[in-house]
Amino acid sequence: MPLAAAAAAAGACPIPVGLGRPLCRVHAHPRRRWGFRLEASSSAPAPAPAPAAADEGAGAGPCPVVRFDMDDFAIADRVSVGLHGRSDETIFEATVRDPSSELYGSTVVLRQLKSSQAKRRGRRALEVLKKLARRQMMYHSYALQVHGYIAPGNAVEQEDIPFVLVHGYHGSYSLRHWLQLSDWLPTLEATLALDEEQVRRVGDDSVGGPAVSRQLRLIRILMRDLLIGVNYLHSHGLAHTELRLENVHVSPIDKHVKVGILGNAADFHDNDPSSSTVASNNERRKMMIAFDIRCVGFIMAKMVLRELMDSSTFFKFKSFLTKGNDPSCLREFLLPILCQNSPSGNIGLQMLDRQWGAGWNLLALLLATKPEKRISCLDALRHPFLCGPKWRINPSTSIIRWGLGSTAVRMAEDYIYGSHQRRRLAYFVELMEVLNPNLRTENWLQLLHGRWRLLYCTGRHIGLTLRQPSPRILIIDVFLTVSSDSADPVFSLTSDIGFRIMPESNWPHDKSGTEGVLSVTTSARIAAGRIYINEQDSKESRAASSRSSRRYNRGKWRTASKMKELPASLPSVNIAMDEVDVSMSCNSTLNVNSAQKVLQEIRTQTPPEMFDLSKIVCGTYIDARLMVLRGVNGSALLFVRSNPMIDS
């Protein structure tokens, strides 16, 4: 069926311009021979990419670029909807009906390119195929295969005559369409035919399992295939530049992820030997690779967190990153979104929280704000999140530090009453202090700025207890805001304690009531300092330090610390406070007696260090997402950086 008739029968798009019989007129030239040159150009006559010569080495063979005629295809009576066509492209499914062709009987895609920019993308796809022809097996495994093209036979191409690219067909669904199916998990598992070989590739211990394990296994397979394909392009001097769910396909034939048509692939190599050009090309190469890595991070985020498939939610997610926020704080930012409609638990959140929060760590490395901080494809393939329990990965100190912080956060999110749980959480905080990544005062000056939410205090448990005071006060959130207007290490510290006055009757079941905020403001100066054990202490203190060293250096932590003994004192920062200003506001009118009772109850439930900031004597740990401050009585206050979601 002619292509124009097929489009008319589909009824979903107008008749393609320029694809009638005049375009398909057969000229006097051999048909379906290897080695034809592309004769047409979008604007002026220019030589097209010449066919590749015979390959050398594995996967060698002639470059499979063929010039077809329209009569070689039986056009389907429908337009493909899942192959991501732009407004200047029309995509049809077709079957090769020429018995002499190697593709006889196979289904292909005819991508009709009408504008000059679209034609440039088509010719670029042929150039990339020529460049990658030396390793055809890898190209065919991880990219959509380009078979050839259909072009006018005359030497001069007219602007209104389209250029048709012929490429492989791997189903009508892109990865976005797969993930939008209601039964996407079993359908993709069946498409990939997950057998023992696939399980070995992903390093999982068992086939199937609960929903979280099943999805995690599938996402590992898809992410590893995607990273292998992107790394293949980068190793050949190319950047994809258009990595997104619409351009990624899953082939049911070879069970591989395809990174789509390479029509916009950019070459970051240059043969100019001048040093300045080489330096410029290296910088350009790093930037383009970092851009691809960021796109892979967006794909991973959408695959794991299905809420991001919604455009409005993804806009908030992307705005959070474009505003310069550290991606390591994504969990704190996304937690209200993920738990909004999932009271029984979010599967994506559970996947990222597994293995000591390894998924959040990989996501933060893929989406790092600075391009030079983003992880490479090879390092991502060796990341614990993509390696199952059968693969033993020696974690770095940064991974161990991340795991300690993630585990402490998850434990503190539970309402802990047991003394053994409190001891365990205090132990994790001590380990974090030993592995403090920022030992110098100037590092604290850079990281302190911002809004921090108090997550846990080892000295006092925040919240209601078995007491029945009057009035009934519920502590909502406790924030510490650090700000500075100058380069001088003097900060303004503001502690905001949100509370709710609940009704006296039925308060265990009814948590509504009058809300208010208690604010404590002071200024502080940051200076280097030491606490804990000093070298001049007694023999008993040094013996205790030695026992503590052996305790930290046992088991899995010995590779993290890499020290025979702990330092004589932990690196710390002293915080010297000035005058303290306290104010309280409430939505309802309180008399003096009631206000005093409310204030007393808030002081009872809140750690004294937050009510009286002068009792914070030092800080012992800080990174982009967590901070530990020590009070005058030795209790540790664990903070997580707060990035409140502002609805647009």
Side-chain angles (χ1 to χ4, degrees), residues 259-320:
V259 294
I261 295 295
L262 304 176
N264 252 10
D267 194 337
F268 43 68
H269 282 317
D270 197 330
N271 295 326
D272 193 337
S274 64
S275 59
S276 61
T277 304
V278 170
S280 176
N281 286 340
N282 288 336
E283 185 66 24
R284 180 169 177 263
R285 173 182 177 272
K286 294 178 182 178
M287 293 297 294
M288 296 175 69
I289 289 179
F291 180 78
D292 274 358
I293 295 298
R294 186 170 185 260
C295 294
V296 172
F298 285 145
I299 291 176
M300 172 184 164
K302 289 184 177 181
M303 284 196 299
V304 178
L305 304 172
R306 305 294 303 283
E307 291 82 0
L308 297 181
M309 297 289 287
D310 179 70
S311 58
S312 60
T313 305
F314 183 72
F315 176 77
K316 297 176 184 178
F317 171 79
K318 199 170 182 180
S319 298
F320 172 83

Side-chain angles (χ1 to χ4, degrees), residues 87-235:
S87 59
D88 55 355
E89 299 180 3
T90 306
I91 301 173
F92 291 87
E93 300 175 15
T95 304
V96 181
R97 62 183 181 183
D98 182 16
S100 62
S101 174
E102 295 181 357
L103 300 173
Y104 176 68
S106 60
T107 303
V108 295
V109 176
L110 303 184
R111 186 178 292 262
Q112 176 188 344
L113 313 172
K114 291 177 284 188
S115 68
S116 58
Q117 186 177 9
K119 296 173 187 177
R120 181 194 61 80
R121 291 194 298 266
R123 290 192 296 272
R124 178 59 178 162
L126 298 178
E127 294 175 4
V128 171
L129 176 60
K130 174 186 174 181
K131 182 179 181 65
L132 301 178
R134 186 172 297 276
R135 296 181 66 187
Q136 292 181 33
M137 289 300 295
M138 284 289 292
Y139 174 79
H140 295 162
S141 296
Y142 297 102
L144 288 179
Q145 183 178 359
V146 177
H147 300 300
Y149 61 95
I150 303 172
N154 53 340
V156 180
E157 181 184 359
Q158 302 178 12
E159 288 293 336
D160 58 345
I161 298 180
F163 176 80
V164 181
L165 196 66
V166 182
H167 60 82
Y169 175 79
H170 299 289
S172 295
Y173 283 163
S174 65
L175 189 54
R176 170 178 286 277
H177 289 81
W178 281 110
L179 296 177
Q180 287 176 338
L181 295 176
S182 58
D183 57 345
W184 68 275
L185 181 59
T187 306
L188 261 180
E189 286 179 335
T191 302
L192 293 173
L194 295 183
D195 52 11
E196 291 299 331
E197 173 63 21
Q198 295 289 337
V199 171
R200 185 193 64 80
R201 285 176 54 204
V202 80
D204 209 343
D205 279 332
S206 59
V207 180
V212 177
S213 298
R214 288 179 63 189
Q215 292 193 28
L216 180 58
R217 176 177 61 131
L218 184 62
I219 286 172
R220 281 174 174 169
I221 292 175
L222 296 176
M223 280 296 298
R224 290 184 66 84
D225 252 21
L226 179 62
L227 286 167
I228 291 172
V230 175
N231 180 70
Y232 166 67
L233 294 178
H234 292 171
S235 63

